[in-house]
Structures are given as structure tokens and as C-alpha cells.
Amino acid sequence: MTPLLRQVLSQIDGPDPRVNEVVAALVSHLHAFVEETRPTPEEWLAGLAFLVETGKMCTPDRDEFILLSDMLGLTSAVDDVNNAGPANMTPSSVEGPFHSPAPERKLGDWISTGPERERGVPTVVHGRVLDCDGTPLAGAVVDLWQANDTGLYDTQDDSQDTGNLRGLFTTDADGLYWFRTIRPSSYPVPTDGTGGTLLRAIGRHPMRPAHLHYRVTAGGHRPLITHVFLAGDPYLESDAAYAVKEELVREPRPGAGEWGMDGPYEEIEFDVRLVPLGWTEERANPA
Ligand code: BEZ
Ligand code: FE
């Protein structure tokens, strides 16, 4: 440890021990970063100016810092350290910036209510919400959101009605949820801010593989925020937000006619297994 770092650490002594711990670790890593990369004063100031620009992009509807965190894999890393559970649970995956209140809908309703419905591949999404032991969870609430075929959420696009491609569903007595939509498309994350500057600088594309977002809640269980991704998407291995997990990828199948659809359609099946409240590694595997 350098004398300078020792001196900085020795003066961290606030009233909250957790704040002291976090600031000390952050400062230690940043000093190690400076030792390793040896930035010139101009480079350091350029880095600080980048953060100032990031702050200027933020509005009540847009948080460019969250986007940077997503694009560096940091949001996924924080998600992972906070969502351990049994091996058969549905893994969580980042929320992203586009959740907003969804209209309540009945099982089987369309969530696509705009012109994208004529352009897209009709798709039935169905599955059950279960406990990790397989018990169906009746009355679970499944909150869904999806971008349209041009890659925009209703909140980003004045031409879409509020609530388009969103829905709040309640599972039936068997834990079943189902709804109709269009096949999700891959789309780029916003690149007109410092998030885009970063992606261009490090030679990454801005694409997210086709997905649907889920937020699932049920009494006595840990709420789950996750995605379902479509098998075969070219961006599964290089998601701009590093949110893909193997267990969340599903193959759309040609519809077999059970869901009352007119004409050809695809179906995606995605069961969600929630972790009971109070689950801990120690309780699950007592020594
Ligand atoms: C999204 O899928 O909505 C998203 C997630 C992370 C960053 C940007 C967008
Ligand atoms: Fe998304």
C-alpha cells in the first residue's frame, strides 16, 4: 500500500460502518487503478468530464448512469450477488430502464394493441408460476413489458398508446399465466448519450437480443425480475446489457392450435420458479 493510500484510508471514520467499508474499498480499488493505468492529468480530466456529461444526460425519465452500469456488466454483477437461491430457481436478470406501470389484463389478452400487431409474428406466451418445489402459485402477479418491432417501448415513442406491450396478469388456480403478443425483436440501447460514446470507444455494438421483461410477485416468495430470451438470436452471446443466462433462453415453437388463435402463430413457454422468503444458503445446506 502506498503512504498516500494509507493516509486516505486512515481518515475514513464516519458514523456508518457500512459507508466507511464501501468508501475504503472504492478508494483502494481506484488507487490501484491509477497505479496500474498511470493516467496523464489530461486523461484523468477527460474521465471526469465524461462523468459530468453523463450527469447532464439524466432527466426524470432517463438515467444515463444506470445505462453505463448496465453496459459495463455492473448491474448484472450486483444482481447476481443479491439473488442467490436454490439450483432450480428462475435466475434474476437486470430490470433495465423501461419498466412502468402496466394495465391489468385478463389471461389470454393481447398486450400488443398498436399497429405492430399487423406487422409482427403472432405469439402466445404461457407458463406457470411455481415454488422451487414445483407447487403452483395461484394469484401470483406477472408484470410484463416488451419493446415493439422498431425497438421502442411505449414510454420512448409518442406514437404508441400508454400501456402498449405491457400487461399485469394474475395466475389462475394452477399457477398458469398466458397472453398474446408479437414475437419480440432485438433492438439497440439508446446511443445518443455517454453510454453510446463508451460503446463506440470500446468497439461494442449496442444491441440487446430479443426479449420480454418479467417482474413476478407472489405471497411468501422473493419478488423476481427477469427476462425471457429467444433462442437463435444473433446477440445472445454479446448482449449490450450482459443480462443473458442460459436458463432464460427459450425456443419459440410453431403453435399447435390450443390457444384459440386464428391463423399461424408461435408459442413460447416459460415457467417461473420463485424462491420462498427466508431462503438462505445456510438453511438450505446446514453444516
Ligand atoms: C432493456 O432491455 O430494456 C434495457 C436493459 C438495459 C439497458 C438498456 C435497456
Ligand atoms: Fe428491454
Side-chain angles (χ1 to χ4, degrees), residues 103-117:
E104 277 184 39
R105 300 193 195 269
K106 293 191 307 301
L107 293 178
D109 276 356
W110 282 91
I111 63 169
S112 161
T113 56
E116 73 285 338
R117 189 153 131 194

Side-chain angles (χ1 to χ4, degrees), residues 20-272:
N20 293 339
E21 179 192 356
V22 171
V23 173
L26 181 64
V27 167
S28 301
H29 285 279
L30 288 173
H31 277 247
F33 166 81
V34 170
E35 288 287 312
E36 184 187 329
T37 60
R38 304 195 157 270
T40 63
E42 293 75 21
E43 286 172 337
W44 188 250
L45 288 178
L48 296 181
F50 179 84
L51 295 180
V52 171
E53 269 318 295
T54 304
K56 288 186 191 158
M57 288 300 301
C58 296
T59 67
D61 297 323
R62 174 167 183 172
D63 191 326
E64 197 73 3
F65 282 105
I66 295 184
L67 193 61
L68 287 184
S69 166
D70 295 341
M71 291 177 184
L72 293 172
L74 292 168
T75 313
S76 282
V78 173
D79 190 48
D80 285 346
V81 296
N82 284 287
N83 285 291
N88 61 354
M89 74 174 192
T90 301
S92 61
S93 159
V94 303
E95 176 166 337
F98 298 121
H99 179 265
S100 73
E104 277 184 39
R105 300 193 195 269
K106 293 191 307 301
L107 293 178
D109 276 356
W110 282 91
I111 63 169
S112 161
T113 56
E116 73 285 338
R117 189 153 131 194
E118 307 309 320
R119 303 187 296 254
V121 177
T123 301
V124 172
V125 181
H126 60 96
R128 290 196 305 159
V129 179
L130 307 162
D131 184 276
C132 286
D133 67 7
T135 308
L137 299 175
V141 176
V142 181
D143 182 355
L144 288 141
W145 65 108
Q146 178 192 341
N148 74 0
D149 56 332
T150 67
L152 294 173
Y153 288 86
D154 60 345
T155 48
Q156 296 173 286
D157 178 5
D158 291 340
S159 78
Q160 293 184 51
D161 289 340
T162 302
N164 188 36
L165 292 162
R166 299 180 189 270
L168 210 53
F169 294 90
T170 302
T171 57
D172 71 10
D174 297 320
L176 177 78
Y177 72 90
W178 76 282
F179 59 95
R180 304 168 211 237
T181 185
I182 54 159
R183 185 191 230 271
S185 311
S186 49
Y187 66 83
V189 298
T191 55
D192 56 338
T194 48
T197 308
L198 173 75
L199 288 176
R200 287 184 291 277
I202 62 174
R204 287 191 75 215
H205 68 69
M207 298 302 288
R208 299 221 55 219
H211 60 270
L212 280 154
H213 293 269
Y214 281 64
R215 187 191 252 187
V216 186
T217 47
H221 290 78
R222 190 198 290 166
L224 174 74
I225 294 174
T226 195
H227 291 60
V228 60
F229 296 95
L230 271 56
D233 189 287
Y235 301 108
L236 282 176
E237 303 293 324
S238 60
D239 179 8
Y242 297 102
V244 179
K245 293 177 179 165
E246 216 180 299
E247 303 92 315
L248 303 177
V249 179
R250 292 291 179 279
E251 183 92 52
R253 300 188 303 244
E258 302 130 272
W259 300 97
M261 296 286 282
D262 299 325
Y265 66 97
E266 290 187 343
E267 63 179 83
I268 298 172
E269 184 171 5
F270 183 60
D271 286 346
V272 175

